[in-house]
Amino acid sequence: GLDLACRFAGRTLPGVFRSGDPVLDLPIALNDQVELRKLLSVLPSETFRADDALGWTYQFWQAQRKNEVNKSGKKIGANEIAPVTQLFTEDYMVEFLLHNTIGAWWAGKMGPIQADTEEEARAKVALPARDGVPGISWTYLRLVQDENTKTWRPAAGTLDGWPKFARLIRLLDPCMGSGHFLVFALPILVRLRMEEENLTPQAAVIAALKDNIHGLEIDERCTQIAAFNVALTAWKLAGYQALPSLNLACSGFAPGRTEDDWVAIAGDNDRLQRGMVRLYSLFKNAPVLG
């Protein structure tokens, strides 16, 4: 069963589970394989269904390395930055930030909200479930009342400088980790696009992945986990379907060649040579700065 699951994973997400990955050629002793499978078999099934399971698992896996680096007192470089800086964001924090940005934008589009209480005002801008896609209740959206008109507006402002339509929103998490913010943002953007463009869930998922969702991460393994989490969320929302290329990337790769190799690309053009030197000086710090 496990082998079959691995094969399916490789076919559905070849960019994450690479069948030709050299690490798969490393033999694991049979007795160790038995012990590993025993450990997996005793874990509660809920562990594998939790939305944030992979993020927590990866942070736990990095915990020992993080303690070692912090105790060493040495300057943190490319090899140490990933385990030291990875901090898991609790669900309520993610929702609070999304509800008071995207949610505030949506509420602002509704204009001043006539209601007696903040709860009633919040309910007026909520979106009901539709075609199997969960509704959006904006639980953490903060609203303030105008004492003169007795109407409500988002405490964060109406974000008038934002695009007028959800399809034009560009959401980028520059430190996406395991994709926690993107996983929570995707259902919101899908539901908004269904509302504004009358799309099916399947079409809205594809559209949101193409247009709205973007992420960068300095750690390559975290980038893979984020891609897996985003894809799994997309399939939970609208069923299994082929997905577009995800706008997620690892920003932690330095140039694999020397500065002279980069400058040589510019040929004899002095201006281009100086430009390549500047680009190299920027990209060489990618493993630490992204």
Side-chain angles (χ1 to χ4, degrees):
L2 188 60
D3 294 333
L4 183 64
C6 290
R7 196 159 78 244
F8 283 161
R11 291 186 64 179
T12 54
L13 288 169
V16 178
F17 304 105
R18 299 167 185 157
S19 58
D21 195 321
V23 76
L24 299 176
D25 293 331
L26 292 171
I28 301 177
L30 187 58
N31 59 310
D32 290 333
Q33 288 188 44
V34 171
E35 288 301 315
L36 284 170
R37 289 173 189 261
K38 281 182 180 178
L39 285 172
L40 284 172
S41 66
V42 298
L43 288 172
S45 59
E46 289 78 14
T47 303
F48 299 95
R49 297 194 187 106
D51 292 333
D52 50 4
L54 280 175
W56 281 112
T57 301
Y58 193 62
Q59 183 168 290
F60 175 78
W61 183 69
Q62 295 273 49
Q64 182 177 346
R65 176 64 177 149
K66 180 177 183 176
N67 291 334
E68 290 173 356
V69 173
N70 287 333
K71 288 179 180 178
S72 71
K74 296 179 181 178
K75 183 178 179 180
I76 295 171
N79 294 327
E80 297 82 24
I81 194 167
V84 170
T85 58
Q86 282 162 4
L87 298 169
F88 197 83
T89 313
E90 296 282 359
D91 290 358
Y92 76 91
M93 300 176 187
V94 176
E95 289 190 293
F96 182 90
L97 289 168
L98 290 174
H99 289 188
N100 288 283
T101 48
I102 300 177
W105 169 81
W106 177 255
K109 286 179 44 154
M110 305 292 106
I113 307 165
Q114 295 282 351
D116 293 328
T117 66
E118 185 179 3
E119 288 74 19
E120 288 180 17
R122 195 179 292 116
K124 286 195 172 184
V125 296
L127 288 166
R130 177 178 160 187
D131 298 337
V133 175
I136 309 296
S137 58
W138 309 118
T139 308
Y140 295 101
L141 175 62
R142 299 276 74 85
L143 299 164
V144 292
Q145 190 176 40
D146 186 305
E147 292 187 3
N148 295 321
T149 63
K150 300 303 180 183
T151 57
W152 297 82
R153 59 178 175 77
T158 53
L159 306 176
D160 297 327
W162 278 37
K164 300 303 179 186
F165 303 101
R167 70 175 183 273
L168 300 176
I169 290 175
R170 299 292 179 266
L171 187 154
L172 168 67
D173 187 342
C175 309
M176 66 179 171
S178 58
H180 204 185
F181 273 91
L182 304 182
V183 162
F184 275 75
L186 182 58
I188 294 174
L189 290 162
V190 165
R191 185 63 189 86
L192 290 178
R193 296 198 61 171
M194 289 173 65
E195 192 72 13
E196 289 187 348
E197 303 168 59
N198 199 29
L199 298 176
T200 64
Q202 292 77 17
V205 164
I206 296 297
L209 291 176
K210 281 184 175 180
D211 303 333
N212 305 118
I213 299 291
H214 302 74
L216 293 172
E217 169 55 43
I218 207 168
D219 181 276
E220 184 182 9
R221 177 61 72 195
C222 258
T223 307
Q224 292 175 318
I225 293 173
F228 176 80
N229 279 338
V230 169
L232 201 60
T233 302
W235 290 330
K236 285 180 180 179
L237 284 170
Y240 178 76
Q241 61 178 328
L243 301 177
S245 295
L246 303 178
N247 298 314
L248 312 178
C250 178
S251 58
F253 293 120
R257 306 294 290 271
T258 66
E259 182 179 314
D260 290 340
D261 291 331
W262 273 51
V263 174
I265 297 172
D268 297 327
N269 188 313
D270 182 64
R271 183 165 177 261
L272 287 181
Q273 287 180 358
R274 292 197 304 273
M276 293 303 284
V277 168
R278 174 160 172 74
L279 284 175
Y280 187 89
S281 69
L282 289 171
F283 285 118
K284 71 178 182 180
N285 294 318
V288 175
L289 302 180

